[in-house]
Amino acid sequence: MGFQSLSFLLLLALTAVLCPLAAKKSRPAGIALFTFFSVIFYLWGLGIHAMLGLAVLALGSLVTFAAARTSLSGPEKPKKRVLLTAAAWHIAVLLGFKYLGFFTGGAVSLGWAPLGLSFFTFQQLWFLKEVGTRQFSLSEPARLRGDEFALFSLFFPTVSSGPILRPDGFFPQLRSENFLRPDWDDRAAGLYAFSLGMAKKVLLADSLGAVVNGGYAHLDGLTAHGAWLVILGYTLQLYFDFSGYCDIATGATRLLGLRLPINFDSPYRSLSVGEFWKRWHITLTTFLRECLYFPLGGSRRGEMRTYGNILLVFLVSGFWHGAGWTFLFWGLLHGLAQVAERAAGVRLTRLPKTLRWAGTFLFVNLAWVFFRAPSLAAAASLLRSAFSGGAGIPAFLTENLLPSETTALSALGLGPSAGNLLLAAVFFIALLAALKPGNTVRRMDTFRPTGLRCAVCCILLAWAALSFSGVTTFIYANF
Amino acid sequence: MKNAKKRWAVGLLAGFLSILFFCAGTVRAVDPFFHYRAPDPEGEVWFDERYQAAGLLRSQSYETVLMGTSLAANYRPFWFDVFYDTSTVKVTFPNGGFHEFTQALDYAYARQDVKRVIFGLDPNILARPASDAPDQLPAYLYDDNPWNDAEYLFSKDVLLRAVYAAGEKTQGQTLPLQDAFMWDGSLYFSRELALGSYERPEIADTPLPADAFLKDCDKNLMVVTSWLEAHPDTQFVFFLSPYSILYWDKMQRLGETEAVFSLLRRTAETLLPYDNADLQCFLTDTDTICDLENYADHIHVAGRVTYAMSQAMPGDEYRLTEENYRERLDALHAFVVNYDYEKIFA
């Protein structure tokens, strides 16, 4: 089930009403019902692959849980061999489902992967690591409960796309007073993040996606202006898509009295690539830092080793995002940029802030081209158009941008300029929202509950919900 | 503060639900896609075949389904009512894909006792790979599941169309059911226009192999024969619309003539063995195809010609049989290969 559906709104409403009622009678009943709704979320509408995917995730959870219990069974230090075996299992499952095709040149491929497997794998690895290092505060077998672990593994607000849950940030909340007993502060905060998240995802990211998809479908016809719109459009689309998703997840979670970690902290305001990674997909960066960079020695084993570790971490990050050369190249670019920044040291910080921001933003934009492009050749083609194409904005960029809104504006007298007007409006609003200080998750607890803010959130949420089901407009409709 | 947050949250939810139910109420009342009511045969606002055809299939009483792409759109259903002594509903999808036609046919069979299907078999869609064909019918309209009606009721796109339909109706901007989705009234058909919209391609260096379209054609014909086999008691009348001589000029210059004839022969060989299949080939009507006054472009033909074709459809004049199809297609082949195309442009 996707977040962008009426079914999800219904499921969330049922969860938010029924789970607290069940928890009033007994907390385990509340957890069981929450897990049940998480299973429904996972299976809804996705057929046999969803059932198989759920089986893979359930088996993986069992492996982790059993390894953790076994490892902690004695009074001595955790049995690391057991934990490493479980970690190897998770890595093997991830490689088998997602990377077999890449490693065999497409000769062998399962052709599908369980929904959310990449996030699930890292979350399970993080759990095993924290059990092994005793960082996990519930590292006693008696306190590690199966029902709580099942909810941790299948938790529906995060199961498909994160944020990656850190065990020590999640389990203690299940024993807090607020869990499944949200007050009106929680509900208001949840609805605030949920509304803005939906608007980011449905109204901004999907609209920008229409422009970006139009550009990638007509790479040969792109002008320089068009190419830059596609590049900037994807930068903004990806941010609003993922951060919107995280806001929705955070809002939904808060409606149940839980909190999720901040995953995006205005990343496009960063003054360096290093800072960008402290603000972008923060849970992934934290996981890679704690579970890969530090164990490799971090920055404590000399300069060259540090550079090597940084490059390795970003290659793994690139590969985690997708099994393809474009993702590896994107990871390599970010790794090299961070190595260069580290090598430059304080000299970079002496540059004017505006220059540092512009350089970082330009680099991030250009690197995203490799993240989005279907191939290195397509990325090169887009970049070529950006630097040597002609002027003007091709019509295919606005062809599928908010078609109903375009039709309505055209009917109101704006005529054929309605498409370009909406294009300008979407980019302007998206840039403003991406670059303004603060973010939704930070404002959840501090916003003033004014009537105007209520009306804006209400309209944005309704507009997004009424956009879930669209009517396709056909170009060929004249005949 | 607690009360303020409570008021804020309750206000947001109440406002959100009010907007949603206002939208659903408006869509339900206007029902622009005829999901809950039959269209008024005297006047409706017709604007989208894929979304409004489901309502026609559900609400009309019919024995015959007229189906096809835009080439089948300029036929009035009552012509077939008269010429076949039947009752007809027209369901056409511009640039339609075979999966869409199957979906619509399945829905028609679920709702009515369909005795005849008249299908515009467009060579262009036969040659098209399935992956390039649109597959855009909204599933929530082509079933009787009330639960997925939410996709219809809670959609700003449908709301916009409801407002548009209501506005047009208020201003009397409607068309009767018989004229639904006809576009020949809004276009002129003339030699000048046909030539004006025709871009004559450069001559290809090497012609396409004769079997270039057969792989995709076979896959598409498998869908068509699945209809024939699933409904042996239904008479299927497939008709090949008369593409103009400009189409053949294009095929000659692109080196695709042999590939198109292979496709036509394969179509006849595949369909004619079925007892419940008729194949009416208007492509061979050389008088019509050479008279560019009949066309808006290189394939789309005027209403006067579609009327004559619908009149001829029950008869044998254009019918291909296992005995005559080679001879007729060979004659057409000789005609288009030897035609002096330069005189069109002189």
Side-chain angles (χ1 to χ4, degrees):
Chain A
M1 181 186 291
F3 280 0
Q4 290 167 265
S5 65
L6 294 167
S7 318
F8 174 68
L9 294 186
L10 186 63
L11 179 99
L12 180 61
L14 287 174
T15 312
V17 172
L18 297 181
C19 288
L21 284 177
K24 261 187 190 172
K25 297 202 168 179
S26 89
R27 208 180 60 93
I31 291 179
L33 194 58
F34 201 160
T35 310
F36 170 75
F37 281 126
S38 293
V39 169
I40 299 286
F41 175 87
Y42 197 89
L43 293 177
W44 188 267
L46 294 173
I48 185 72
H49 282 158
M51 293 175 79
L52 292 171
L54 183 67
V56 172
L57 264 53
L59 184 61
S61 302
L62 208 60
V63 167
T64 309
F65 187 71
R69 291 295 291 252
T70 310
S71 165
L72 297 169
S73 59
E76 67 277 19
K77 285 202 310 186
K79 299 183 183 81
K80 292 209 169 164
R81 189 177 295 170
V82 177
L83 297 173
L84 285 173
T85 309
W89 163 273
H90 286 296
I91 292 167
V93 169
L94 183 67
L95 289 175
F97 274 106
K98 295 197 78 169
Y99 301 99
L100 202 57
F102 179 78
F103 286 123
T104 61
V108 185
S109 172
L110 292 174
W112 70 282
L115 174 71
L117 181 65
S118 301
F119 286 96
F120 173 83
T121 303
F122 274 19
Q123 192 165 297
Q124 300 291 311
L125 291 176
W126 209 345
F127 181 87
L128 291 166
K129 188 249 172 194
E130 292 218 347
V131 167
T133 54
R134 291 277 188 186
Q135 281 174 288
F136 178 38
S137 60
L138 303 180
S139 293
E140 299 102 45
R143 301 191 67 193
L144 191 58
R145 290 171 52 110
D147 59 345
E148 291 177 348
F149 191 78
L151 183 59
F152 170 72
S153 295
L154 300 174
F155 189 62
F156 78 76
T158 63
V159 70
S160 60
S161 301
I164 303 166
L165 299 177
R166 188 187 193 129
D168 217 16
F170 183 80
F171 287 97
Q173 287 196 66
L174 299 186
R175 290 152 193 227
S176 72
E177 276 299 306
N178 261 23
F179 175 55
L180 296 182
R181 288 186 179 83
D183 59 20
W184 282 103
D185 277 356
D186 290 322
R187 292 192 184 105
L191 287 171
Y192 177 79
F194 193 82
S195 311
L196 294 182
M198 277 291 180
K200 279 180 177 181
K201 171 75 187 92
V202 179
L203 304 180
L204 283 178
D206 291 355
S207 303
L208 290 159
V211 177
V212 173
N213 292 342
Y216 274 99
H218 300 89
L219 280 176
D220 292 340
L222 273 177
T223 58
H225 291 153
W228 281 110
L229 272 181
V230 171
I231 293 169
L232 178 62
Y234 185 65
T235 297
L236 295 169
Q237 181 201 353
L238 192 62
Y239 171 63
F240 287 113
D241 191 279
F242 201 3
S243 77
Y245 177 94
C246 290
D247 291 351
I248 296 167
T250 304
T253 304
R254 191 66 182 274
L255 290 174
L256 294 149
L258 290 169
R259 288 168 189 256
L260 290 183
I262 293 180
N263 216 19
F264 289 87
D265 190 8
S266 306
Y268 292 146
R269 289 167 57 82
S270 303
L271 302 182
S272 68
V273 178
E275 185 188 347
F276 174 79
W277 280 104
K278 287 176 186 147
R279 292 166 171 264
W280 178 276
H281 204 168
I282 297 166
T283 54
L284 174 68
T285 311
T286 312
F287 169 84
L288 289 172
R289 188 177 62 238
E290 293 190 10
C291 299
L292 186 62
Y293 184 67
F294 288 165
L296 286 170
S299 58
R300 286 172 299 179
R301 297 194 183 171
E303 209 167 333
M304 293 315 289
R305 180 70 184 266
T306 303
Y307 296 160
N309 288 344
I310 291 172
L311 284 175
L312 185 66
V313 163
F314 278 90
L315 283 173
V316 168
S317 172
F319 204 46
W320 178 82
H321 281 92
W325 293 108
T326 49
F327 291 104
L328 276 172
F329 191 69
W330 168 80
L332 180 68
L333 283 177
H334 273 275
L336 288 172
Q338 294 218 52
V339 167
E341 281 178 356
R342 192 173 266 264
V346 291
R347 276 169 291 178
L348 275 181
T349 58
R350 291 188 195 126
L351 291 172
K353 277 189 175 178
T354 315
L355 195 63
R356 287 162 60 200
W357 171 80
T360 305
F361 191 58
L362 180 65
F363 169 80
V364 169
N365 267 272
L366 295 177
W368 283 138
V369 171
F370 295 92
F371 191 88
R372 166 63 176 83
S375 65
L376 289 172
S381 168
L382 180 62
L383 291 174
R384 225 177 2 258
S385 299
F387 291 105
S388 61
I393 297 170
F396 53 74
L397 291 182
T398 53
E399 225 163 52
N400 295 315
L401 172 68
L402 296 169
S404 283
E405 286 79 354
T406 307
T407 309
L409 286 177
S410 300
L412 289 172
L414 284 175
S417 62
N420 283 340
L421 201 72
L422 275 174
L423 181 76
V426 166
F427 272 79
F428 178 73
I429 293 168
L431 268 173
L432 209 65
L435 297 177
K436 73 175 173 45
N439 68 46
T440 310
V441 178
R442 287 196 196 285
R443 283 200 308 269
M444 278 170 78
D445 290 304
T446 56
F447 77 92
R448 285 186 56 221
T450 62
L452 179 64
R453 188 166 274 121
C454 179
V456 169
C457 286
C458 173
I459 289 168
L460 288 177
L461 182 59
W463 188 0
L466 293 175
S467 303
F468 292 161
S469 165
V471 174
T472 315
T473 303
F474 285 89
I475 302 156
Y476 201 70
N478 287 341
F479 279 149
Chain B
M1 192 63 176
K2 285 263 184 223
N3 279 340
K5 286 277 173 87
K6 182 177 179 179
R7 271 200 306 275
W8 191 89
V10 171
L12 194 153
L13 281 176
F16 170 67
L17 291 174
S18 303
I19 294 173
L20 252 58
F21 283 102
F22 168 76
C23 173
T26 308
V27 170
R28 179 68 181 78
V30 178
D31 194 11
F33 298 160
F34 320 122
H35 199 55
Y36 301 106
R37 68 180 173 101
D40 177 355
E42 300 304 319
E44 281 293 351
V45 184
W46 309 97
F47 49 84
D48 196 318
E49 291 93 327
R50 283 176 170 84
Y51 286 82
Q52 292 181 309
L56 288 174
L57 290 171
R58 185 185 312 105
S59 63
Q60 302 300 295
S61 177
Y62 51 88
E63 289 179 343
T64 298
V65 180
L66 168 64
M67 193 171 262
T69 63
S70 57
L71 287 164
N74 286 330
Y75 293 83
R76 285 174 172 79
F78 79 87
W79 295 347
F80 296 92
D81 293 353
V82 173
F83 299 138
Y84 278 100
D85 188 20
T86 185
S87 50
T88 309
V89 67
K90 183 176 77 176
V91 173
T92 56
F93 303 133
N95 197 29
F98 281 103
H99 185 259
E100 294 181 321
F101 293 124
T102 303
Q103 202 177 337
L105 263 184
D106 287 347
Y107 192 52
Y109 277 103
R111 303 294 304 196
Q112 299 276 336
D113 180 16
V114 179
K115 293 185 174 157
R116 185 181 295 102
V117 174
I118 300 173
F119 191 92
L121 200 57
D122 184 351
N124 280 339
I125 64 166
L126 277 173
R128 181 175 58 191
S131 57
D132 292 350
D135 185 9
Q136 301 286 351
L137 292 196
Y140 59 86
L141 294 177
Y142 287 83
D143 66 22
D144 295 328
N145 173 6
W147 296 105
N148 62 15
D149 283 6
E151 292 186 56
Y152 176 55
L153 295 170
F154 299 105
S155 163
K156 74 171 183 349
D157 289 358
V158 182
L159 175 66
L160 182 76
R161 281 152 182 81
V163 171
Y164 166 74
E168 292 287 289
K169 262 191 162 178
T170 309
Q171 294 172 33
Q173 299 290 319
T174 59
L175 284 173
L177 176 60
Q178 289 296 327
D179 291 344
F181 307 121
M182 305 275 290
W183 48 263
D184 63 349
S186 58
L187 281 179
Y188 290 103
F189 294 83
S190 71
R191 177 185 175 81
E192 194 183 1
L193 274 176
L195 284 170
S197 61
Y198 176 60
E199 284 182 32
R200 201 175 192 203
E202 294 297 317
I203 296 174
D205 292 337
T206 49
L208 273 187
D211 62 354
F213 298 143
L214 290 186
K215 194 176 160 195
D216 291 313
C217 175
D218 285 343
K219 285 183 185 165
N220 290 322
L221 284 172
M222 271 176 68
V223 179
V224 177
T225 54
S226 74
W227 304 341
L228 293 167
E229 287 161 13
H231 307 289
D233 297 329
T234 303
Q235 182 198 13
F236 283 83
V237 181
F238 300 103
F239 66 92
L240 294 158
S241 194
Y243 285 1
S244 81
I245 197 69
L246 293 177
Y247 169 82
W248 293 111
D249 177 60
K250 187 177 178 182
M251 294 301 102
Q252 283 287 88
R253 295 178 76 84
L254 293 174
E256 295 181 8
T257 304
E258 297 310 318
V260 171
F261 274 94
S262 297
L263 174 146
L264 292 172
R265 287 188 196 100
R266 179 63 62 87
T267 303
E269 284 162 11
T270 307
L271 299 183
L272 291 177
Y274 288 89
D275 290 339
N276 57 336
D278 264 4
L279 189 52
Q280 297 284 346
C281 182
F282 298 100
L283 283 168
T284 54
D285 183 352
T286 51
D287 289 343
T288 297
I289 68 173
C290 292
D291 182 359
L292 293 181
E293 298 291 342
N294 290 324
Y295 291 88
D297 56 24
H298 67 298
I299 54 174
H300 288 93
V301 70
R304 55 183 173 270
V305 179
T306 56
Y307 177 78
M309 283 160 58
S310 61
Q311 194 170 22
M313 243 177 254
D316 291 334
E317 187 182 354
Y318 296 96
R319 177 173 291 143
L320 295 187
T321 63
E322 291 195 82
E323 291 73 38
N324 73 11
Y325 82 88
R326 285 185 195 83
E327 181 193 336
R328 290 201 184 182
L329 291 178
D330 287 350
L332 178 64
H333 180 264
F335 182 81
V336 300
V337 166
N338 297 313
Y339 194 82
D340 176 11
Y341 293 96
E342 295 310 319
K343 74 181 179 190
I344 303 172
F345 305 96

